[in-house]
Amino acid sequence: MEKLLEVKDLAVSFQTFFGEVEAVRGISFHVDKKETVAIVGESGCGKSVTANSIMQLLPMPPAFYKHGQILFNGEDIVQKSEKEMQKIRGNQISMIFQDPMTSLNPTMKVGKQIVEGLIKHQNLSSQEAEKKAIEMLDLVSVPQPEKRIKQYPHEFSGGMRQRVMIALAMVSHPKLLIADEPTTALDVTVQAQILDLMKDIQDKFGTSIILITHDLGVVADMCDRVIVMYAGQLLEEGKVDEIFKNPKHPYTRKLLGSVPRLDMDRSETLYSIEGTPPDLYIPPKGCPFFDRCDQAMVVCKGHMPEREYHTDSHYSCCWLNHPMAKKAAEGSEI
């Protein structure tokens, strides 16, 4: 498959009054054309910072890129100016945010918010842009789009606002769509409708999708590959079947173990991962999951493991999977 996006050794930090917060610490991954990749992990692990780094939406300062590249169609967008990014953002790369009520402008009619992007990026007239906006609202199943285009965000339900956000993101037919927890605030029925809508639009326009989510059920249903992120680093990556059927990192296994199951007994307590993520003011030298891992070894605390590939598409960063793991468990040097 041809790569659309390639992130290489990306590190992003925030300068605060108390010191530097290393939010993203040297991550590398790629997204192929027409592929859906999920980034999963607990809150605060760096998922949204990664997404906003791709879009260059982080306020600088306090945020800053320490090192790394973000190659989109072979060009490093980290080096691009704000003026250059304005031609890419909302046109070639779009984003669906977690809460549409805070993402849509409450003082502007939804039609105007969709139309302004079309006028800017595609040089359409107001009449042409409005016609296309109506067609896009119809495509995302907003009823009576000719009427709804003249309404304000507060006149829409949560699910309909999210449909407007999808229309806004997809109206320019971007090559990459970043969806940051797009179904978190919605009920289960509306969630299913929104996900089906995203898949339909992907099939129609051939868009690649990065899906950031906590919902592993959504990942299983919608995605091709999964990236497991923790404390600003990538701990495991693989195809959906590989991750769900044969997880190799203890953190991935614990994440999957915390998902409610239909066969659970009512008296059974839902499993949760004990402890808290590390403080990224003082990030750990070794595996970031060391303090919460019941299989941790001495080597885990002081040395971050390298990637160990289990298949061509599946790797994990865990000393347990290292060829010399037995010696490490005995306290030998690696």
Side-chain angles (χ1 to χ4, degrees):
M1 294 284 291
E2 189 178 351
K3 294 178 182 177
L4 176 67
L5 178 79
E6 194 170 6
V7 176
K8 295 183 176 182
D9 195 28
L10 179 67
V12 181
S13 292
F14 292 84
Q15 195 62 52
T16 71
F17 179 78
F18 298 101
E20 180 185 340
V21 179
E22 298 183 32
V24 174
R25 303 188 291 140
I27 65 171
S28 298
F29 66 93
H30 72 276
V31 180
D32 293 330
K33 291 185 177 180
K34 301 182 181 180
E35 184 183 34
T36 302
V37 176
I39 302 179
V40 303
E42 292 172 279
S43 296
C45 70
K47 305 186 302 295
S48 293
V49 172
T50 301
N52 284 302
S53 297
I54 295 170
M55 295 286 288
Q56 283 202 25
L57 290 176
L58 296 174
M60 296 188 181
F64 63 95
Y65 294 103
K66 291 187 74 174
H67 55 74
Q69 294 178 301
I70 302 173
L71 303 178
F72 179 71
N73 273 335
E75 295 184 11
D76 188 3
I77 57 179
V78 170
Q79 304 300 326
K80 291 190 178 294
S81 65
E82 175 60 23
K83 188 174 182 180
E84 291 173 315
M85 279 303 299
Q86 286 178 8
K87 296 177 181 178
I88 296 173
R89 194 188 299 128
N91 187 25
Q92 297 184 58
I93 306 176
S94 288
M95 190 165 180
I96 301 172
F97 297 93
Q98 184 171 350
D99 185 359
M101 199 61 208
T102 58
S103 304
L104 293 168
N105 189 329
T107 66
M108 290 174 62
K109 295 176 181 178
V110 297
K112 186 176 181 181
Q113 296 185 55
I114 299 172
V115 162
E116 66 178 3
L118 287 168
I119 294 173
K120 177 173 180 146
H121 294 301
Q122 298 189 16
N123 296 319
L124 299 179
S125 66
S126 298
Q127 293 78 11
E128 290 172 327
E130 183 171 324
K131 182 181 178 182
K132 191 165 183 179
I134 291 170
E135 290 173 356
M136 198 66 206
L137 286 177
D138 185 52
L139 183 64
V140 298
S141 302
V142 172
Q144 299 179 295
E146 298 86 356
K147 175 184 175 183
R148 302 289 262 171
I149 201 171
K150 296 179 173 62
Q151 294 181 325
Y152 291 92
H154 71 270
E155 298 180 82
F156 289 73
S157 66
M160 284 297 155
R161 281 196 294 269
Q162 197 62 290
R163 290 172 188 272
V164 171
M165 278 298 301
I166 294 173
L168 186 60
M170 295 302 299
V171 73
S172 296
H173 305 168
K175 296 175 182 177
L176 177 65
L177 175 66
I178 302 172
D180 189 356
E181 301 190 33
T183 60
T184 298
L186 307 176
D187 62 59
V188 177
T189 304
V190 178
Q191 278 187 23
Q193 293 172 354
I194 294 298
L195 293 172
D196 286 341
L197 175 59
M198 288 175 64
K199 285 191 283 189
D200 289 343
I201 287 181
Q202 182 181 37
D203 291 339
K204 185 175 179 65
F205 299 121
T207 307
S208 299
I209 297 176
I210 296 177
L211 178 65
I212 296 171
T213 183
H214 291 98
D215 193 332
L216 294 174
V218 170
V219 173
D221 179 55
M222 187 171 176
C223 298
D224 301 306
R225 281 191 298 119
V226 186
I227 295 169
V228 181
M229 197 167 183
Y230 183 77
Q233 293 180 307
L234 306 187
L235 298 187
E236 188 165 1
E237 179 183 332
K239 293 179 180 178
V240 168
D241 288 347
E242 292 171 332
I243 296 295
F244 278 78
K245 292 180 181 178
N246 190 27
K248 290 293 187 179
H249 198 285
Y251 178 60
T252 308
R253 288 196 286 269
K254 288 178 181 292
L255 274 183
L256 292 169
S258 63
V259 176
R261 304 187 317 274
L262 291 174
D263 61 348
M264 285 181 66
D265 189 274
R266 288 186 179 183
S267 61
E268 189 176 346
T269 303
L270 185 64
Y271 174 78
S272 62
I273 305 174
E274 294 183 358
T276 58
D279 186 351
L280 295 183
Y281 280 112
I282 313 171
K285 293 180 180 179
C287 176
F289 195 58
F290 171 80
D291 288 337
R292 305 172 73 185
C293 182
D294 50 17
Q295 297 175 280
M297 301 177 288
V298 174
V299 70
C300 302
K301 185 174 184 179
H303 304 276
M304 180 64 192
E306 298 292 329
R307 291 184 177 186
E308 293 292 336
Y309 279 85
H310 315 292
T311 69
D312 290 343
S313 57
H314 185 194
Y315 74 80
S316 62
C317 298
C318 180
W319 285 116
L320 291 170
N321 300 318
H322 194 278
M324 299 180 71
K326 186 176 180 180
K327 290 185 178 181
E330 293 169 353
S332 303
E333 290 292 330
I334 290 185

